[in-house]
């Protein structure tokens, strides 16, 4: 049986033509084909470059190192967020749509705004928790901004995250009560890692509030978000998937230049907060 030998190395994440040599065929022949390399996971040299100053550290030392690393970023305006989310949250099965946080629905990229059945810009770290609003800064940081159904976004409001509550009609699998929101199982880890990122990125040294995680709900307007113990559990139950990894890569390469370290190194969450 003829065998194929790839005689070019194909980089991850792009489409290339490559040549294969067919051995064992009569007569010997070569052919050219195209391959899409879909794995957009972080490049293997991130640890020796981007994260070099964080390796081997834990606790406060790790926190300080990561803050220094991820604070180097390009800031975008709130109007630019619309365009950014159309790229970062594109439905992998339909390039004309985005995937909505919480509900998991696929909706047209153009169906954004403030009307029922539109999608809008959900601040996973609620903007009232610190009062940073939508000015360029934490309110426009797309590492925690996601497309969400307008009605679902309004129902979540500025609630902290916790387990329990009543089912959310517009987003089955999510639950809510007077002061907390339980995300769908498929995005529990996404939510946890987004608020962890915010707690490390914004430490109060750049004119914005010092955002911190705590083990409470009902944090209101304080620059705190909870419930930390639940978020750590969600982080472990729902590890980073291909969608989240691709999103991290796109944000770095096309928009902000920085990364969410808890997607690349999930173990760093317990190294800081355990």
């Amino acid at each position: 049986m003829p065998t194929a030998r790839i005689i070019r190395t194909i980089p991850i994440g792009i489409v290339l033509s490559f040549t294969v040599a067919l051995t064992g065929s009569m007569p010997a022949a070569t052919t050219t084909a195209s391959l899409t390399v879909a794995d957009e996971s972080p490049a293997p040299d991130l640890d020796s470059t981007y994260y070099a100053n964080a390796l081997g550290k834990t606790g406060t030392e790790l926190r300080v190192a990561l803050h220094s690393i991820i604070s180097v970023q390009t800031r975008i305006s709130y109007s630019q967020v619309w365009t950014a989310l159309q790229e970062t949250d594109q439905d992998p099965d339909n390039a004309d749509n985005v995937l909505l946080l919480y509900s998991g629905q696929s909706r047209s990229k153009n169906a954004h705004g403030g009307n029922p059945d539109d999608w809008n810009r959900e601040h996973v770290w609620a903007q009232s928790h610190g009062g940073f609003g939508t000015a360029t800064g934490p309110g426009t940081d797309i590492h925690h901004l996601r497309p969400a159904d307008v009605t679902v976004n309004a129902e979540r409001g500025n609630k902290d995250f916790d387990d329990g509550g009543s089912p959310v009609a517009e987003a089955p699998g999510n639950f809510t009560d007077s002061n907390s929101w339980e995300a769908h199982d498929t995005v529990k880890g996404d939510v946890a890692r987004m608020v962890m990122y915010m707690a490390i990125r914004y430490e109060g040294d750049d004119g914005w509030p010092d955002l911190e995680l705590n083990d409470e709900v009902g944090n209101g307007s304080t620059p705190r978000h909870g419930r930390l113990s639940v978020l750590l559990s969600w982080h472990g139950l729902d590890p980073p998937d291909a969608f989240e990894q691709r999103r991290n890569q796109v944000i770095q390469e096309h928009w902000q230049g920085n990364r969410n370290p808890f997607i690349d190194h999930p173990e760093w969450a317990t190294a800081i907060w355990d």
Side-chain angles (χ1 to χ4, degrees), residues 38-41 92 239-249 263:
D39 183 359
E40 297 193 52
S41 55
D241 60 15
F243 183 87
E244 197 177 358
Q245 290 165 346
R246 175 193 175 276
R247 189 175 196 277
N248 203 24
Q249 193 77 10
I263 296 173

